[in-house]
Amino acid sequence: MAAAAGIRSREERWSLAGKTALVTGGSKGIGRAIVEELAGFGVRVHTCARTAADLDERLRAWAADARLPGRVTASVCDVSARGDREALVAAARAELGPRLDILVNNAGQSTFRAATETAAGDYARLMATNLESCFHLAQLAHPLLLAAGAGAGAGAAVVNVSSIAGLVAYPALAAYSATKGGLNQLTRSLAAEWAGDGVRVNCVAPGGVQTDMFSSVALEMDPDPETSLRMMEAELARVPLPRFGETEEIASLVAFLCMPASSYIPGQVICADGGRPIAA
């Protein structure tokens, strides 16, 4: 039986100071906000992106930001490639040491294609990036997470970044939605396997969030800006909280799921979506 977290003070429950984290896809969008949120709490973070140019620019900005007491390091990684994933975890261990308190599987890609028009290569790329990478990185990080989970406190935390597209159906997002539905179930399965080892696994499912990827999907839906805007307005009309989300709102939820304050929460898929799935 897993031991109780044993966290008594409010300060301990809501602190991440001194923790270590690996966050994939951290140079932009939701991933960047997660890196900055965790580093702002004093977490030492290692992150990645597909190009060195993106990383170098962000690393310079983070190093100059006095609001980030946690140190941020990074390496180039295409999470769709198995060898790159192995190198990423090795780099994180070299930077952070033999224990990893937090793994955030955030990197992902999308495509807007009817199921009958989705090429085999596009399907394989989405599966490798959005689902296979999360499974493999969790496997690779498991010994490091176990080392953190064996210590005092709330143990280690894995947070997967999914999407409400894994819970509700959108036309022309079948392949993308399949990866996110699979990630939701992977979250539950790993949580059931690892909770007793002091490793909690949860999932955040954002709705429409203002990011570069969100904008690119809108243009892919229709390259005409006016048509894309109308489609976005139609989607927004189905959100009870009538606006799109901000990246910081997703990052705050991720940080909470990494804190000792959430120590009794494993295996959950938590939507941060303005209430989109509850709309009539």
Side-chain angles (χ1 to χ4, degrees), residues 207-249:
V209 178
Q210 300 186 58
T211 65
D212 291 342
M213 187 173 83
F214 186 68
S215 299
S216 67
V217 170
L219 290 175
E220 193 176 359
M221 290 162 61
D222 196 301
D224 175 46
E226 292 187 4
T227 303
S228 295
L229 178 60
R230 287 195 296 272
M231 296 176 74
M232 291 297 98
E233 288 174 343
E235 172 64 14
L236 194 59
R238 301 187 67 181
V239 179
L241 190 62
R243 64 175 176 83
F244 293 121
E246 302 289 343
T247 57
E248 293 81 6
E249 293 175 305

Side-chain angles (χ1 to χ4, degrees), residues 109-123 125-126 170-178 216-223 231:
Q109 292 184 346
S110 180
T111 189
F112 191 82
R113 293 283 186 279
T116 54
E117 298 172 2
T118 301
D122 290 336
Y123 180 86
R125 173 178 56 83
L126 284 178
Y170 289 95
L173 281 178
Y176 175 77
S177 297
S216 67
V217 170
L219 290 175
E220 193 176 359
M221 290 162 61
D222 196 301
M231 296 176 74

Side-chain angles (χ1 to χ4, degrees), residues 20-22 44-46 71 73-75 86-100 144:
T20 59
L22 171 59
R44 289 189 296 132
V45 182
H46 190 79
R71 184 169 61 93
T73 57
S75 52
E86 292 169 346
L88 174 63
V89 174
R93 176 166 185 158
E95 291 287 353
L96 304 175
R99 56 174 283 162
L100 183 67
L144 309 180

Side-chain angles (χ1 to χ4, degrees), residues 43-216:
V43 178
R44 289 189 296 132
V45 182
H46 190 79
T47 190
C48 68
R50 285 182 293 172
T51 68
D54 284 344
L55 285 178
D56 291 343
E57 179 183 354
R58 289 309 322 150
L59 284 171
R60 285 193 295 270
W62 286 328
D65 193 338
R67 298 170 300 174
L68 306 181
R71 184 169 61 93
V72 181
T73 57
S75 52
V76 175
C77 175
D78 178 352
V79 298
S80 70
R82 187 176 185 88
D84 278 21
R85 297 191 293 260
E86 292 169 346
L88 174 63
V89 174
R93 176 166 185 158
E95 291 287 353
L96 304 175
R99 56 174 283 162
L100 183 67
D101 297 290
I102 298 163
L103 169 65
V104 181
N105 283 310
N106 163 76
Q109 292 184 346
S110 180
T111 189
F112 191 82
R113 293 283 186 279
T116 54
E117 298 172 2
T118 301
D122 290 336
Y123 180 86
R125 173 178 56 83
L126 284 178
M127 284 292 170
T129 302
N130 295 2
L131 182 56
E132 180 188 325
S133 72
C134 300
F135 182 82
H136 188 211
L137 285 168
Q139 284 183 316
L140 293 170
H142 186 247
L144 309 180
L145 295 165
L146 280 180
V158 178
V159 182
N160 297 317
V161 179
S162 178
S163 168
I164 60 164
L167 300 167
V168 298
Y170 289 95
L173 281 178
Y176 175 77
S177 297
T179 67
K180 296 305 186 178
L183 185 56
N184 293 344
Q185 185 55 41
L186 175 63
T187 297
R188 290 184 280 261
S189 296
L190 291 182
E193 285 191 29
W194 294 357
D197 296 326
V199 180
R200 293 182 299 109
V201 185
N202 287 292
C203 188
V204 172
V209 178
Q210 300 186 58
T211 65
D212 291 342
M213 187 173 83
F214 186 68
S215 299
S216 67

